[in-house]
Structure formats: structure tokens, C-alpha cells
């Protein structure tokens, strides 16, 4: 098999093996790691159609992580995609009228980030071993809600790792807070900081950049790492479910072999849709990659004008995981659109850093015609949840609804009725209040857990374990601190 090496998007740094790129996370020049050459599938869709999720995941991941042995990679996959998921299919498809909703929310925290964060800890510890690193890996994360819990669930009790999550006190929803502070696992630590999310994030960055601390840590046998969505160890596992969804549609006779499908992705940081782009490049017959935004529609404007401009009001929406003005993973697409020219890409990223915007050339735009950008506003998002529920009985979360709304608009505008896969990124139980209010305003006065029961009843869906668990779970973490104390908290937890 062809060896795939990784380099930075901002310089000629690199030619790193996959395990080295996973361990490093971000390149020294601030760029992201990209495969120097994109691999291609070496199995036909017909062959993949007969495989289980874990087997397809192996066939995809082996193409990117070429320095992992078959045994290493299969071990990582088996530890990640097991009975922590509430269905053997791992990522089932539900046909809701015409399109197929690819349900990526059957993992332990009922959102799609589990698809990557369940496997990342194993990829990281395997990478450490392969590179002779015997330090314990310490993950530090600042979270405004979702990522923190998904990372905690992924790293809990994984040997050779510790994880510390900081969240803004009063800055996450009560359910999100409860999910985090009830986290089990001796290697987990959850801390509320007296500050907002930006302060938490800045505090974490300062700790990462503190050279003295890094040396002290190394002498005691620890090193920091990040579970950030720019790590290729998070991106590549996401490619697998797009390939799997195509194979599954073929296996079920919903499409002919080779027939092109469209994919719609509710987008924030651009990781999930970039994975779909890589799936297409592997040879999956995908036509359009439809990028759905909420009212923070930077990406819609970008795909429609060629200008990326983050200078605008930040809007808090009912789909908070997509409330993002800088989509970090877009950098990888920009790099590819320059014809893999790191210096050109760097000058765009410098413009973004200094003036908050950049404009790509017409030549680059011509390379991005597979992408379609659209958005759904708050009213449309709520209306779509209600309409689809009333028409079909199927209940979507707010993020998925943004994608569904964009899909319906796209079909109406273009008449393009290819079979379509919609990435369904969260369970409706994760955003119960917004979902139930969209269906009927009478739910406004109900308590959180009453709403959970009601959602289960009207949608005829079982309450996921992730929700049931926190109803009566014990509080395991109650540390609070000032932002200035974050470093000491980390040292205390590590006992250094
Ligand atoms: C993170 C997240 C998204 C956005 O995904 P990106 O890869 O950042 O574009 C969408 N929906 C949900 C529920 C998420 O948690």
C-alpha cells in the first residue's frame, strides 16, 4: 500500500508519518496537517456493501494511517465502536420522506463528536507507543458544552491518559453541566472557571504555550496534547461514515452501483463536511457537498462570493455547536484549492489573522464548484422540526434541522433529486427544550426532565442512556477556580 505522509498547510514543514502528525496535533508553524497525496479506496463499493461499520472504518482508515499495523488499527477501532453505542449499526440510516438521515448520534454522548472522540484516545496512545513516547498524555480542553463531554467520555479510563476539562461557570446549559460533573473515571477532572468561554480557552492556550511548565511536566513523565477538531486523528475517522452510508444504500438496493449521491452537512468548524470531501476524493460517488449554516452564515457567504469575512456580529442560536465565525478546518480546503501551495494558503490565513477576512481567486473558486452553501434562520429551523414531525413523526435536533431545511430549499431551487444523505449530528434529546418548543409552544412551562419524557412519548423513541444516566447520577466534580488559578489546578491534579 502507498505510504501517506503529512505536511503543514502553511509551509513545507513535515513529511510526518500519520502517528507523528496525530501526536503533534498542530504543525509548529500554526498550520494544519494534510496528507501530501490523497489516497483512493482499494475495495469496490460492492465489497464494502457487505461489511460491518468497523470493517468499513478499517478499510478507510488504513489508507490514511499507513504506519499503523493492521492489528494496531483494528484494536483502536474495536475499542471505539463497541457497545458504548446503542446500536450495532453504529451509524444507522433513517429514510425521512426522500432523503436518508445518517444518524451519527448513537454514541455515549448522543452527538456526532463521539464518532471521532471515541477513537482518538486509542489513536493517540498507540501513536505514543509507536514513537517511543512513554510520557502520560494529558488532554486539556476548554469547552462551551459539547466537546468537553464527548472528550471526557472518550478518554475516561483510557490507560496512559489524563483529561482536564475547563468550562465557564454558568456558561453551559444545566444538562451539559450535569453531564460533565457526573463524569466517571479516575483520570478525569472537570473544573468550572469564574470567567467566560474565551477566558477559559485563553487560559488553556497559555498553559499549552508555557515552556517552563512543559519541561517540568516532561521531567515528571507527562506531556500535553489536544483533542481539538483540527487533529487528523479526529478528521479521518469521520471519513468512514460517508463511505459506509454509500455502501449501505447500495446494499439495501436504494441506489445503483456508481450512482452519484448528494451529501448535506450542518457545519460549524468545517470538520465534518471536509471528511465528506475526503470521502469523495477516495472514490465515493458523491456529487454535491451541501454546506448548511445557521444564522452565523460566514460559510454561505464564502461559497457564494469567494470572500471569507468573520467581521460580523456573533449570533447565539438554537444550534450552538454551529455558532462559529472561524471555521478552522476550512484551511485544509483552501490549501487544496490553491493547488497545495502552502505559501499562498499562508497569505490567506495571515489576512484572516490581521483583518479578519480574505478573498480567494476565481481560479480557486472554480475548484470548489462541488460545494453548495446555504443557511437556515432560527424561524426556519424551528418550522422544519415541526413540519417534518407533523408529516412523518420523525423528530430531529436543531442542528440536523438546519441541514434538512437547507436540503429542502436546495431541491426546490434546483430540482436535483439525487439520493441524498443528511448528516444528522445530534439526538433530539440533547437539545430537548428547543426541539419541543419548536413543536408546540405549550411545552415552554415544562421542566427539563418532564420534556425528556414527553419527547420520548410523542416521538415514540426510547430515552437514550446518556440522558437517563444523569437524572440521578452522583456529582463527582465540584472544583471551581479563578482563571489565574488554572495552571495550579492542573499541577495539583497531576501531583507535580
Ligand atoms: C460540532 C457539531 C457540528 C459542527 O460540526 P463541524 O465538524 O464543526 O462542522 C454540528 N452539529 C453538532 C451537533 C455538533 O456537535
Amino acid at each position: 500500500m502507498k505510504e501517506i505522509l503529512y505536511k503543514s498547510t502553511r509551509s513545507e514543514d513535515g513529511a510526518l508519518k500519520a502517528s507523528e502528525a496525530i501526536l503533534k496535533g498542530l504543525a509548529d508553524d500554526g498550520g494544519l496537517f494534510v496528507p501530501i497525496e490523497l489516497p483512493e479506496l482499494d475495495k469496490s463499493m460492492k465489497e464494502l456493501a457487505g461489511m460491518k461499520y468497523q470493517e468499513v472504518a478499517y478499510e478507510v482508515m488504513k489508507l490514511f494511517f499507513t504506519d499503523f499495523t493492521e492489528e494496531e488499527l483494528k484494536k483502536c477501532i474495536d475499542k471505539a465502536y463497541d457497545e458504548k453505542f446503542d446500536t450495532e449499526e453504529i451509524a444507522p440510516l433513517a429514510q425521512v420522506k426522500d432523503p436518508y438521515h445518517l444518524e451519527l448520534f448513537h454514541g455515549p454522548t448522543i452527538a456526532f463528536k463521539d464518532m471521532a472522540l471515541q477513537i482518538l484516545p486509542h489513536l493517540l496512545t498507540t501513536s505514543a507507543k509507536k514513537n517511543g513516547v512513554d510520557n502520560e498524555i494529558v488532554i486539556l480542553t476548554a469547552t462551551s458544552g459539547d466537546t468537553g463531554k464527548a472528550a471526557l467520555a472518550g478518554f475516561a479510563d483510557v490507560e496512559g491518559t489524563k483529561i482536564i476539562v475547563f468550562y465557564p461557570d454558568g456558561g453551559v446549559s444545566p444538562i451539559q453541566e450535569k453531564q460533565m460533573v457526573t463524569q466517571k473515571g479516575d483520570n478525569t477532572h472537570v473544573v468550572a472557571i469564574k470567567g467566560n468561554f474565551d477566558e477559559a480557552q485563553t487560559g488553556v492556550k497559555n498553559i499549552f504555550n508555557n515552556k517552563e511548565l512543559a519541561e517540568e511536566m516532561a521531567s515528571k513523565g507527562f506531556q500535553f496534547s489536544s483533542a481539538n477538531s483540527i487533529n487528523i486523528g479526529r478528521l479521518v475517522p469521520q471519513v468512514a461514515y460517508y463511505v459506509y452510508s454509500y455502501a449501505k444504500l447500495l446494499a439495501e438496493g436504494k441506489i445503483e452501483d456508481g450512482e452519484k449521491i448528494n451529501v448535506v452537512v450542518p457545519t460549524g468548524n468545517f470538520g465534518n463536511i471536509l471528511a465528506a470531501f475526503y470521502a469523495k476524493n477516495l472514490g465515493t460517488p458523491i456529487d454535491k457537498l451541501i454546506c448548511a449554516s445557521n444564522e452565523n452564515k460566514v460559510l454561505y457567504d464564502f461559497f457564494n462570493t469567494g470572500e471569507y469575512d468573520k467581521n460580523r456580529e456573533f449570533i447565539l442560536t438554537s444550534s450552538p455547536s454551529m455558532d462559529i465565525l472561524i471555521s478552522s478546518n476550512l484551511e485544509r480546503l483552501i490549501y487544496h484549492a490553491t493547488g497545495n501551495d502552502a505559501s499562498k494558503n499562508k497569505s490567506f490565513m495571515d489576512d484572516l489573522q490581521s483583518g479578519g477576512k480574505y478573498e480567494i481567486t476565481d481560479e480557486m473558486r472554480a475548484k470548489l464548484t462541488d460545494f453548495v452553501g446555504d443557511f437556515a434562520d432560527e424561524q426556519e429551523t424551528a418550522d422544519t422540526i415541526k413540519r417534518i414531525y407533523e408529516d412523518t413523526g420523525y423528530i430531529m435536533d436543531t442542528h440536523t434541522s438546519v441541514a434538512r431545511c437547507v436540503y429542502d430549499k436546495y431541491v426546490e431551487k434546483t430540482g436535483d433529486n439525487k439520493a441524498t444523505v443528511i448528516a444528522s449530528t445530534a439526538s433530539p434529546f440533547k437539545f430537548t427544550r428547543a426541539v419541543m418548543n419548536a413543536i408546540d409552544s405549550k411545552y415552554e412551562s415544562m421542566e427539563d426532565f418532564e420534556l425528556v419524557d414527553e419527547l420520548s412519548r410523542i416521538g415514540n423513541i426510547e430515552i437514550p442512556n446518556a440522558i437517563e444516566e444523569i437524572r440521578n447520577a452522583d456529582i463527582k466534580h465540584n472544583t471551581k477556580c479563578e482563571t489565574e488559578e488554572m495552571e495550579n489546578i492542573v499541577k495539583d491534579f497531576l501531583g507535580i
Side-chain angles (χ1 to χ4, degrees), residues 112-113 146 266-272 321-322 399 425-426:
F112 100 98
K113 292 197 172 55
D146 271 0
T267 298
N269 220 1
F270 211 76
N272 202 1
S321 301
M322 296 157 66
H399 302 73
T425 50

Side-chain angles (χ1 to χ4, degrees), residues 288-429:
K288 294 294 181 202
L289 299 154
I290 301 171
C291 175
S293 300
N294 65 21
E295 289 182 8
N296 295 292
K297 56 185 184 55
V298 193
L299 289 165
Y300 162 78
D301 292 333
F302 170 70
F303 284 116
N304 287 285
T305 66
E307 182 180 60
Y308 192 93
D309 185 357
K310 76 160 182 101
N311 301 306
R312 61 181 75 205
E313 192 193 345
F314 177 79
I315 301 166
L316 289 172
T317 73
S318 58
S319 45
S321 301
M322 296 157 66
D323 291 343
I324 285 177
L325 292 181
I326 298 189
S327 299
S328 324
N329 268 299
L330 183 66
E331 179 169 346
R332 288 187 165 105
L333 184 68
I334 298 293
Y335 170 80
H336 292 306
T338 61
N340 298 349
D341 184 331
S343 70
K344 271 195 197 145
N345 174 65
K346 181 175 186 305
S347 86
F348 290 124
M349 295 307 131
D350 288 345
D351 291 347
L352 181 64
Q353 175 78 28
S354 57
K357 60 181 178 180
Y358 59 83
E359 188 168 2
I360 63 170
T361 62
D362 287 345
E363 195 189 344
M364 286 170 68
R365 285 189 74 187
K367 291 193 183 150
L368 300 180
T369 50
D370 289 345
F371 286 87
V372 177
D374 208 341
F375 74 101
D377 67 25
E378 286 293 276
Q379 192 60 48
E380 289 173 318
T381 305
D383 290 349
T384 305
I385 292 174
K386 185 179 170 74
R387 174 170 55 82
I388 296 293
Y389 170 63
E390 287 174 351
D391 286 1
T392 69
Y394 188 81
I395 303 184
M396 296 174 292
D397 96 289
T398 44
H399 302 73
T400 306
S401 178
V402 167
R404 179 64 193 240
C405 177
V406 162
Y407 164 80
D408 288 331
K409 284 196 211 177
Y410 172 78
V411 173
E412 195 174 301
K413 243 184 262 174
T414 62
D416 178 356
N417 58 5
K418 280 188 203 68
T420 299
V421 167
I422 297 178
S424 300
T425 50
S427 156
F429 286 97

Side-chain angles (χ1 to χ4, degrees), residues 144-253:
S144 53
D146 271 0
T147 308
K149 178 62 188 183
L152 283 164
F155 282 91
D157 291 325
V158 173
E159 219 178 293
T161 72
K162 287 194 170 14
I163 175 163
I164 308 173
V165 171
F166 294 98
Y167 70 93
D169 195 16
V172 301
S173 80
I175 290 199
Q176 285 174 324
E177 178 168 39
K178 188 120 193 240
Q179 277 190 309
M180 290 192 281
V181 299
T182 56
Q183 178 64 48
K184 294 178 194 148
D186 290 340
N187 66 336
T188 67
H189 199 40
V190 179
V191 183
I193 68 140
K194 294 177 196 146
N196 60 27
F197 172 64
D198 279 339
E199 289 165 310
Q201 188 152 37
T202 307
V204 164
K205 276 194 190 143
N206 290 343
I207 298 175
F208 268 126
N209 294 335
N210 184 335
K211 294 239 158 65
E212 248 167 69
L213 179 63
E215 278 167 26
E216 190 179 348
M217 297 255 305
S219 72
K220 307 270 165 64
F222 296 107
Q223 77 183 52
F224 287 127
S225 188
S226 147
N228 207 303
S229 84
I230 43 89
N231 194 312
I232 56 136
R234 268 185 72 176
L235 190 60
V236 168
Q238 296 179 218
V239 179
Y241 47 73
Y242 290 107
V243 176
Y244 176 75
S245 70
Y246 190 94
K248 194 84 189 171
L249 288 175
L250 183 60
E252 289 173 1

